[in-house]
Structure formats: structure tokens, C-alpha cells
Amino acid sequence: MRTLKLTTLIILFFSSIGYSQDNFELTIERKLSSDICTMGYLIANGEVLCYTLELPWADNLNNISCIPIGTYSGILRYDKTDGWRIQLENVPNRTGVQIHMGNYTNQIKGCVLVGTKAKVDNCSVQNSSGAYSKLKKAFYGTESPNSTPNKKIVITFK
């Protein structure tokens, strides 16, 4: 009985201070693939947030190919000039694959760019900072976070 009470108290304590592990689920739904770029939508927890821009498929070669279809875990990075980005883990034969700001394929080395507008004719996304803000708000639940929630990040590429 004493063990049950102690276990209950521990569960209540950790749930009250925010140690729940919610998933933050992202889906990259690709809609256009050409020999110049790959474009689609970024969906966060079921809601379309913005457009995406990647390099074209090039046999998963590091720095010159879009990301292979599949599901990957992600981590947050705070060490870049933008102060926040999501990095994918365990992408086969790849390192440093991230979701970040940018507008054109010449700004990508195997990563994903986001924008609130897309131009198919020149393979670009616009208002990347606006899309990035939407992504951060979806993750934190607010535009002005004061702490990082304990969420598991899962990114699926289709």
C-alpha cells in the first residue's frame, strides 16, 4: 500500500511540473518533384502550416539530395544564427539534415526550407521567416515561449 501511495505521488509530481512526453508530429507531403527541386507542404499535428522546398532526389547523396521517404526523429538545435531549428536524426548516410529558413535551392545542402508562399516556376519559397515563426509557435504553443516543452519530435516524409 505504501509503495502504491509513493508511486501515485511521484506520478502526480512529475505530471504537475510538465514532464509529459507529447509527440510533435511533422509530415512533409511532397507534391512536385523535378530535376531542379522538390516542393510540398509541411503539416504539424494535422494542420498544414507552410510550403517546403528541398533539392531534387539524387540517390540520397549527402548535401545534394532531398531526404529519403521515411520517418525520422528530430532534435532542437539552438546553436545556429537563427537560434532555433529542427535537426533530423538517423537519416541513412546523412548528417546535419535540418529544417530551416531560406528561399532558394542554392541555400540548401540536403535540408528542408519553409515558406508561406511558393513559386513553382523558379523552385522557391517566400516569407521563410513567417513560416518559421508558425512552425515554432506550433511546437511551443505560443509566440513567446519561456521554456522548452518535453516533446518527442517525429518527422515523416511522403
Side-chain angles (χ1 to χ4, degrees):
M1 183 68 168
R2 185 178 177 128
T3 304
L4 179 61
K5 285 183 183 180
L6 182 58
T7 302
T8 303
L9 284 173
I10 290 171
I11 291 169
L12 288 173
F13 171 76
F14 282 113
S15 64
S16 70
I17 61 172
Y19 281 95
S20 65
Q21 177 90 13
D22 295 327
N23 279 353
F24 182 62
E25 296 183 8
L26 297 175
T27 301
I28 307 285
E29 185 81 37
R30 293 167 170 152
K31 296 296 180 184
L32 168 74
S33 294
S34 72
D35 56 352
I36 300 169
C37 70
T38 302
M39 300 182 84
Y41 300 99
L42 184 140
I43 303 160
N45 292 327
E47 178 186 347
V48 175
L49 289 186
C50 57
Y51 295 96
T52 60
L53 177 65
E54 298 175 75
L55 293 171
W57 178 250
D59 295 323
N60 194 34
L61 293 173
N62 199 31
N63 295 330
I64 62 169
S65 180
C66 64
I67 295 109
I69 291 171
T71 300
Y72 307 96
S73 59
I75 58 170
L76 295 180
R77 289 190 58 178
Y78 299 99
D79 60 331
K80 298 292 186 175
T81 55
D82 54 24
W84 185 89
R85 57 179 61 188
I86 295 172
Q87 180 165 310
L88 283 65
E89 295 186 306
N90 302 317
V91 177
N93 304 313
R94 305 277 288 276
T95 60
V97 177
Q98 300 165 10
I99 299 172
H100 61 82
M101 288 190 284
N103 302 101
Y104 304 99
T105 54
N106 66 1
Q107 298 170 312
I108 311 171
K109 291 193 176 192
C111 296
V112 179
L113 302 181
V114 293
T116 60
K117 296 179 181 176
K119 289 193 173 182
V120 174
D121 59 332
N122 71 349
C123 280
S124 67
V125 291
Q126 289 79 48
N127 191 21
S128 190
S129 62
Y132 213 54
S133 293
K134 289 172 81 171
L135 178 59
K136 286 174 73 172
K137 183 178 179 185
F139 178 79
Y140 289 105
T142 179
E143 291 179 5
S144 304
N146 58 11
S147 65
T148 300
N150 186 23
K151 293 182 179 181
K152 179 180 177 185
I153 301 170
V154 178
I155 307 108
T156 300
F157 287 80
K158 295 183 176 184

